[in-house]
Amino acid sequence: MTQIKSFSARTLDANALKSFAHPLRLRIYELLDEHGPATATGLATLLGQNTGATSYHLRELAKHGMIEVVAGMGRGKEKYWRITPGGFSYGEANPADPEAADALDYLLDDLVRTRGAELSRWREESATAPEEWVQASVYGRRSLRLTPEETARMRDQVFEVLERYRALSDSGEREGVGHVVVHFDVLPVGTTRGD
Protein backbone atom coordinates (compact mmCIF):
# COMPACT_ATOMS: atom_id res chain seq x y z
CA MET A 1 0.00 0.00 0.00
CA THR A 2 1.15 3.58 -0.61
CA GLN A 3 1.31 6.79 1.31
CA ILE A 4 -1.94 8.62 1.86
CA LYS A 5 -0.82 12.21 1.93
CA SER A 6 -1.56 15.80 1.24
CA PHE A 7 1.62 17.67 0.40
CA SER A 8 2.12 19.81 3.53
CA ALA A 9 -0.83 18.66 5.59
CA ARG A 10 -0.69 17.50 9.17
CA THR A 11 -0.36 13.73 9.51
CA LEU A 12 -2.87 11.95 11.73
CA ASP A 13 -1.37 9.83 14.49
CA ALA A 14 -2.63 6.36 15.42
CA ASN A 15 -5.10 7.70 18.00
CA ALA A 16 -6.56 10.20 15.52
CA LEU A 17 -6.90 7.48 12.86
CA LYS A 18 -8.78 5.25 15.31
CA SER A 19 -11.03 8.10 16.40
CA PHE A 20 -11.79 9.29 12.86
CA ALA A 21 -12.73 5.78 11.66
CA HIS A 22 -16.30 6.07 12.91
CA PRO A 23 -19.29 6.30 10.55
CA LEU A 24 -20.97 9.22 12.30
CA ARG A 25 -17.73 11.20 12.66
CA LEU A 26 -16.96 10.70 8.99
CA ARG A 27 -20.45 11.89 8.07
CA ILE A 28 -20.16 14.95 10.35
CA TYR A 29 -16.83 15.78 8.75
CA GLU A 30 -18.34 15.40 5.24
CA LEU A 31 -21.22 17.71 6.14
CA LEU A 32 -18.90 20.37 7.56
CA ASP A 33 -16.71 20.07 4.49
CA GLU A 34 -19.61 20.41 2.07
CA HIS A 35 -21.79 22.98 3.86
CA GLY A 36 -19.35 24.92 6.04
CA PRO A 37 -19.72 25.81 9.72
CA ALA A 38 -22.59 24.25 11.64
CA THR A 39 -23.79 23.72 15.19
CA ALA A 40 -24.30 20.42 16.97
CA THR A 41 -28.05 21.07 16.77
CA GLY A 42 -28.00 21.74 13.04
CA LEU A 43 -25.91 18.63 12.40
CA ALA A 44 -28.19 16.54 14.62
CA THR A 45 -31.16 17.60 12.48
CA LEU A 46 -29.35 16.72 9.23
CA LEU A 47 -28.21 13.36 10.61
CA GLY A 48 -31.39 12.35 12.44
CA GLN A 49 -29.41 12.13 15.69
CA ASN A 50 -29.80 13.76 19.07
CA THR A 51 -27.72 16.81 19.92
CA GLY A 52 -25.87 14.95 22.68
CA ALA A 53 -24.52 12.43 20.16
CA THR A 54 -23.41 15.06 17.66
CA SER A 55 -21.86 17.17 20.44
CA TYR A 56 -19.85 14.17 21.65
CA HIS A 57 -18.59 13.32 18.17
CA LEU A 58 -17.76 16.97 17.44
CA ARG A 59 -15.63 17.08 20.60
CA GLU A 60 -13.87 13.86 19.55
CA LEU A 61 -13.07 15.31 16.12
CA ALA A 62 -11.84 18.52 17.76
CA LYS A 63 -9.68 16.59 20.24
CA HIS A 64 -7.66 15.28 17.29
CA GLY A 65 -7.50 18.60 15.44
CA MET A 66 -9.89 17.61 12.65
CA ILE A 67 -12.34 20.45 13.35
CA GLU A 68 -12.41 23.61 15.44
CA VAL A 69 -14.84 26.13 16.89
CA VAL A 70 -15.34 29.19 14.68
CA ALA A 71 -14.49 32.31 16.67
CA GLY A 72 -17.16 35.02 16.58
CA MET A 73 -20.01 32.80 15.38
CA GLY A 74 -22.87 31.76 17.59
CA ARG A 75 -24.56 33.28 20.60
CA GLY A 76 -24.18 32.31 24.23
CA LYS A 77 -23.11 28.68 24.50
CA GLU A 78 -23.90 28.01 20.84
CA LYS A 79 -20.78 26.85 18.97
CA TYR A 80 -20.24 26.72 15.25
CA TRP A 81 -17.75 24.10 14.12
CA ARG A 82 -15.69 24.01 10.94
CA ILE A 83 -13.02 21.89 9.30
CA THR A 84 -9.56 22.85 10.56
CA PRO A 85 -7.78 24.68 7.72
CA GLY A 86 -4.67 23.10 6.25
CA GLY A 87 -5.90 19.59 5.70
CA PHE A 88 -4.50 16.32 6.96
CA SER A 89 -3.04 13.11 5.67
CA TYR A 90 -3.43 9.52 6.81
CA GLY A 91 0.34 9.07 6.75
CA GLU A 92 2.18 5.88 6.00
CA ALA A 93 0.34 2.72 5.11
CA ASN A 94 0.42 -0.26 7.48
CA PRO A 95 0.89 1.44 10.85
CA ALA A 96 2.55 -0.74 13.50
CA ASP A 97 -0.55 -0.58 15.72
CA PRO A 98 -3.05 -3.23 14.47
CA GLU A 99 -6.04 -1.12 15.55
CA ALA A 100 -4.65 1.88 13.65
CA ALA A 101 -4.07 -0.35 10.62
CA ASP A 102 -7.71 -1.50 10.78
CA ALA A 103 -8.83 2.13 11.13
CA LEU A 104 -6.75 3.11 8.11
CA ASP A 105 -8.33 0.30 6.07
CA TYR A 106 -11.78 1.55 7.10
CA LEU A 107 -10.89 5.14 6.19
CA LEU A 108 -9.46 4.14 2.80
CA ASP A 109 -12.56 2.11 2.00
CA ASP A 110 -14.66 5.14 2.94
CA LEU A 111 -12.47 7.36 0.75
CA VAL A 112 -13.10 5.10 -2.26
CA ARG A 113 -16.84 5.06 -1.51
CA THR A 114 -16.95 8.84 -1.14
CA ARG A 115 -15.10 9.41 -4.40
CA GLY A 116 -17.51 7.17 -6.28
CA ALA A 117 -20.49 8.96 -4.72
CA GLU A 118 -19.06 12.40 -5.56
CA LEU A 119 -18.39 11.41 -9.18
CA SER A 120 -21.91 9.99 -9.55
CA ARG A 121 -23.43 13.07 -7.96
CA TRP A 122 -21.59 15.39 -10.35
CA ARG A 123 -22.62 13.26 -13.34
CA GLU A 124 -26.23 13.88 -12.34
CA GLU A 125 -25.86 17.55 -11.30
CA SER A 126 -23.76 18.59 -14.30
CA ALA A 127 -26.83 18.39 -16.57
CA THR A 128 -28.38 21.36 -14.75
CA ALA A 129 -25.31 23.08 -13.26
CA PRO A 130 -24.33 26.61 -14.32
CA GLU A 131 -22.33 26.49 -17.57
CA GLU A 132 -19.24 28.12 -16.02
CA TRP A 133 -18.96 25.25 -13.52
CA VAL A 134 -19.48 22.63 -16.23
CA GLN A 135 -16.73 24.27 -18.31
CA ALA A 136 -14.39 24.43 -15.29
CA SER A 137 -14.83 20.74 -14.41
CA VAL A 138 -13.11 17.73 -15.90
CA TYR A 139 -12.97 13.98 -15.63
CA GLY A 140 -9.41 12.91 -16.15
CA ARG A 141 -7.38 9.76 -16.32
CA ARG A 142 -3.91 9.19 -17.70
CA SER A 143 -2.06 5.91 -18.11
CA LEU A 144 1.70 6.44 -17.98
CA ARG A 145 4.86 4.33 -17.99
CA LEU A 146 7.09 5.73 -15.25
CA THR A 147 9.73 4.61 -12.76
CA PRO A 148 8.94 4.80 -9.03
CA GLU A 149 11.19 7.89 -8.79
CA GLU A 150 9.43 9.64 -11.69
CA THR A 151 6.08 8.71 -10.19
CA ALA A 152 7.01 10.20 -6.80
CA ARG A 153 8.33 13.37 -8.45
CA MET A 154 5.12 13.80 -10.48
CA ARG A 155 2.99 13.18 -7.37
CA ASP A 156 4.89 15.80 -5.39
CA GLN A 157 4.65 18.37 -8.19
CA VAL A 158 0.89 17.91 -8.43
CA PHE A 159 0.61 18.23 -4.65
CA GLU A 160 2.56 21.51 -4.82
CA VAL A 161 -0.08 22.90 -7.19
CA LEU A 162 -2.94 21.56 -5.04
CA GLU A 163 -1.32 23.07 -1.94
CA ARG A 164 -1.33 26.55 -3.53
CA TYR A 165 -5.05 26.26 -4.20
CA ARG A 166 -5.72 24.78 -0.75
CA ALA A 167 -4.04 27.85 0.79
CA LEU A 168 -6.19 30.11 -1.41
CA SER A 169 -9.29 28.17 -0.35
CA ASP A 170 -8.37 28.54 3.33
CA SER A 171 -7.65 32.27 2.96
CA GLY A 172 -11.24 33.33 3.64
CA GLU A 173 -14.48 34.33 1.98
CA ARG A 174 -14.30 35.41 -1.65
CA GLU A 175 -16.99 36.15 -4.21
CA GLY A 176 -18.21 33.40 -6.54
CA VAL A 177 -16.64 30.43 -4.79
CA GLY A 178 -18.16 26.97 -4.85
CA HIS A 179 -17.33 23.72 -3.09
CA VAL A 180 -14.85 22.06 -5.45
CA VAL A 181 -13.57 18.51 -4.93
CA VAL A 182 -10.31 17.35 -6.51
CA HIS A 183 -9.65 13.63 -6.68
CA PHE A 184 -6.01 12.75 -7.23
CA ASP A 185 -4.66 9.24 -7.09
CA VAL A 186 -1.37 7.85 -8.30
CA LEU A 187 -1.27 4.09 -8.29
CA PRO A 188 0.74 1.44 -10.09
CA VAL A 189 -1.37 -1.25 -11.69
CA GLY A 190 -0.10 -4.81 -11.95
CA THR A 191 3.14 -4.41 -10.00
CA THR A 192 2.48 -7.57 -8.03
CA ARG A 193 2.55 -9.53 -11.31
CA GLY A 194 5.95 -8.13 -12.27
CA ASP A 195 4.62 -5.74 -14.97
Side-chain angles (χ1 to χ4, degrees):
M1 204 176 335
T2 57
Q3 290 186 22
I4 316 307
K5 70 183 276 183
S6 173
F7 195 72
S8 67
R10 177 179 69 86
T11 300
L12 300 184
D13 64 19
N15 288 331
L17 282 174
K18 290 185 267 189
S19 179
F20 195 36
H22 184 283
L24 190 53
R25 289 183 201 141
L26 284 168
R27 187 68 185 122
I28 288 170
Y29 192 89
E30 288 172 7
L31 288 170
L32 291 173
D33 184 42
E34 183 174 350
H35 300 291
T39 64
T41 302
L43 289 166
T45 300
L46 288 172
L47 294 164
Q49 298 285 322
N50 66 56
T51 303
T54 54
S55 292
Y56 169 76
H57 291 296
L58 285 165
R59 287 190 306 275
E60 280 297 305
L61 288 167
K63 182 168 92 175
H64 296 287
M66 305 297 295
I67 64 170
E68 64 188 16
V69 173
V70 182
M73 282 186 85
R75 289 179 280 199
K77 293 184 178 184
E78 181 181 59
K79 294 179 187 172
Y80 276 81
W81 298 88
R82 70 173 181 185
I83 301 293
T84 303
F88 65 90
S89 73
Y90 292 148
E92 297 295 322
N94 304 320
D97 177 347
E99 287 181 32
D102 287 346
L104 180 59
D105 284 344
Y106 181 86
L107 291 167
L108 291 176
D109 288 344
D110 184 71
L111 184 67
V112 170
R113 178 203 57 80
T114 300
R115 286 184 178 173
E118 287 168 345
L119 287 167
S120 294
R121 179 178 172 186
W122 176 242
R123 280 286 296 136
E124 291 176 19
E125 290 179 356
S126 65
T128 57
E131 185 61 24
E132 63 268 22
W133 284 111
V134 174
Q135 292 299 317
S137 69
V138 68
Y139 295 101
R141 181 184 183 280
R142 300 293 182 271
S143 179
L144 309 170
R145 302 267 182 221
L146 302 172
T147 67
E149 294 77 18
E150 292 164 341
T151 302
R153 188 168 54 249
M154 178 199 59
R155 176 204 62 207
D156 291 346
Q157 288 172 356
V158 171
F159 270 122
E160 287 172 4
V161 171
L162 292 173
E163 182 61 20
R164 287 198 305 269
Y165 283 91
R166 189 219 37 89
L168 179 63
S169 176
D170 288 349
S171 68
E173 294 296 320
R174 296 176 326 285
E175 292 291 319
V177 300
H179 182 230
V180 175
V181 175
V182 178
H183 296 166
F184 176 65
D185 303 299
V186 177
L187 46 116
V189 178
T191 57
T192 58
R193 294 188 318 233
D195 291 353

